[in-house]
Amino acid sequence: MTDQFAVKMNDITKTFGEDFKANDSIDFNVKAGEIHALVGENGAGKSTLMNILYGMYHPDEGAISINGNGVSIHSPAEAIKLGIGMVHQHFMLVSTLSVLENIILGDEVTGAFDTIDMKRCRQKVKQILNSFDISIDLEEITGRLPVGIQQKIEILKLLYRNADILILDEPTAVLTPQETDELFKTLMELKYEGKTIILITHKLGEVLAVSDTVTVLRKGKVTGVLETSKTNKAELAELIIGEKLIQADTKTSHPTKKIILEVSGLTVKNERSFRAVRDVSFVISAGEILGIAGVEGNGQTELIEAISGLRKIESGSIKINGNAITGKTEIAHIPANRHKHGMVAEYTLSENILLGRDNEKQFSTGMLLKKTALDSFTSSLITEYDIRPQDHNALIAGLSGGNQQKLVAAREMTKQTDVIVISHPARGLDIKAANFVYKTILEESKKGKAILLVSSDLGELLKLSDHIAVMYNGKFTAILDAKQTNKREIGEYMLGVKDK
Ligand SMILES: Nc1ncnc2c1ncn2[C@@H]1O[C@H](COP(=O)(O)OP(=O)(O)OP(=O)(O)O)[C@@H](O)[C@H]1O
Ligand SMILES: [Mg+2]
């Protein structure tokens, strides 16, 4: 690491709409060769600042210099020319293309007559794989690969374009702990090869583990620039939310004996006609939270898709209050992929709240939409969940990632259903918002709902669940009492080392 700055952003201001300052006189300086963490609450302005650096937005005010030279960046193409690459909060790969095609897309090496010289492209990619010690099958179809690998492809895309400054916007939000470890190994490797890395994350453990410096934003302003080795979680949390962090609640209420959800002998196939869920049986009673742990790809996704009615079942049954579920059964569902299943980007916040709820009497007379009631309900959720901006007429596309997530959670948690299926409730949320969502889950449980909770965060599962089922190879290999188990034991079942 040298004391030279790879990035200097000086006095950056960016206004949206009339007078909303997403970035307000921000100074952001990154030394060459360091890993610099950029943290802050949902909507603090992190993605906006990085989109400015990547040329997607132009700042109203401020100056940028790259490696000591003043620049003005008007497009991602210009950013790439300056050696800047960005992996966005939401991936932008084409799922039907091969890994190699995705990596070279838009930047193909052309040979005679402008044809793509696949051989030379492949050679160049192979060189990169070698020098950064990354292994990946270049011919595989991208959409079939786990997110951890897709993430690597996004990074490879940047390296292929010779990026020296890599911006990663919440790269670990969708990764399992194992995949996160892998990613961090790659980042360390990149750092030793002299790359400069900017990492946005909400997980303070990650900040402390891999970064050299941290910049904290709150409401569009810098609230701290710290050397990582001289700070700690409590200090960072306070700079992020502007107050002392209160510990998250844990489950203290007890389940009743009344069975709500009953799953028997359930078998479900995935897209490739592989039996992803095999003969699984369990019940969840009123007031019970059943957590599901497992390495991604062991059938969790197919299980919750079947229960929430998104996937056909092969055999077995799913009953709620004794009745087999049909297409009409109301089940609240906070899905893992919010962009695909949870929201419509070009709808307003109110319209997004209405999704799947247009038959509810509070919003409809049967013929007509009760727009005033919908808007005031949406406004109350906006206040309660601290969704920003506080405007039910805003388009959800303009919200920060975490605020979109809060809206989806708010809609599903307030549905009048007996069963709630939740995937990764805190994904993309800042620490305060995550604690709020945990609190709400516990409250809904207290009201007597049956809750199925899938998460890759074992700490979260241990805090919220009554029981934790571990899925391995499509089956439950253990159902553990959350109060009697720990991360290590769960981990052993997850890896199939232990079996009951
Ligand atoms: N294109 C846009 N139009 C209008 N408002 C926007 C736009 N992009 C961002 N904003 C607003 O600017 C603020 C900052 O958003 P930004 O995406 O930078 O937050 P963030 O720090 O990345 O948050 P998160 O952790 O939730 O991803 C938010 O209040 C957001 O609603
Ligand atoms: Mg963001």
Side-chain angles (χ1 to χ4, degrees), residues 99-155:
V99 173
L100 181 65
E101 287 164 334
N102 259 303
I103 293 172
I104 66 176
L105 187 68
D107 196 29
E108 295 87 353
V109 179
T110 45
F113 309 111
D114 247 12
T115 50
I116 300 174
D117 189 341
M118 284 309 264
K119 211 166 145 195
R120 273 174 55 205
C121 290
R122 186 176 284 111
Q123 252 170 13
K124 187 172 170 193
V125 174
K126 286 212 161 133
Q127 261 170 17
I128 298 171
L129 292 179
N130 278 337
S131 56
F132 295 102
D133 203 17
I134 301 171
S135 65
I136 195 167
D137 179 359
L138 294 178
E139 315 309 328
E140 182 63 90
I141 297 298
T142 306
R144 289 195 186 154
L145 293 165
V147 280
I149 310 276
Q150 299 201 15
Q151 183 96 66
K152 274 193 191 163
I153 302 171
E154 292 274 16
I155 293 173

Side-chain angles (χ1 to χ4, degrees), residues 88-91 146-151 169-177 179-180 183 203 206 296 336-339 424 426-428 456:
H88 293 275
Q89 195 159 353
H90 308 288
F91 293 175
V147 280
I149 310 276
Q150 299 201 15
Q151 183 96 66
D169 193 350
E170 292 193 44
T172 62
V174 291
L175 302 188
T176 62
E179 288 170 331
T180 301
L183 172 70
K203 300 176 188 165
E206 296 179 353
E296 191 122 335
N337 187 340
R338 254 79 68 183
H339 281 253
H424 311 284
R427 183 175 276 179
S456 53

Side-chain angles (χ1 to χ4, degrees), residues 33-80:
E34 76 167 340
I35 299 184
H36 195 118
L38 179 60
V39 302
E41 59 184 355
N42 295 126
K46 306 178 295 294
S47 296
T48 302
L49 187 69
M50 291 303 102
N51 282 328
I52 289 172
L53 183 57
Y54 192 52
M56 308 222 354
Y57 294 148
H58 201 71
D60 310 334
E61 280 167 59
I64 302 177
S65 67
I66 300 299
N67 300 319
N69 304 313
V71 293
S72 176
I73 310 171
H74 295 96
S75 67
E78 287 183 29
I80 291 165

Side-chain angles (χ1 to χ4, degrees), residues 159-176:
L159 298 174
Y160 185 79
R161 285 156 184 73
N162 304 313
D164 282 320
I165 300 167
L166 284 78
I167 308 167
L168 306 177
D169 193 350
E170 292 193 44
T172 62
V174 291
L175 302 188
T176 62

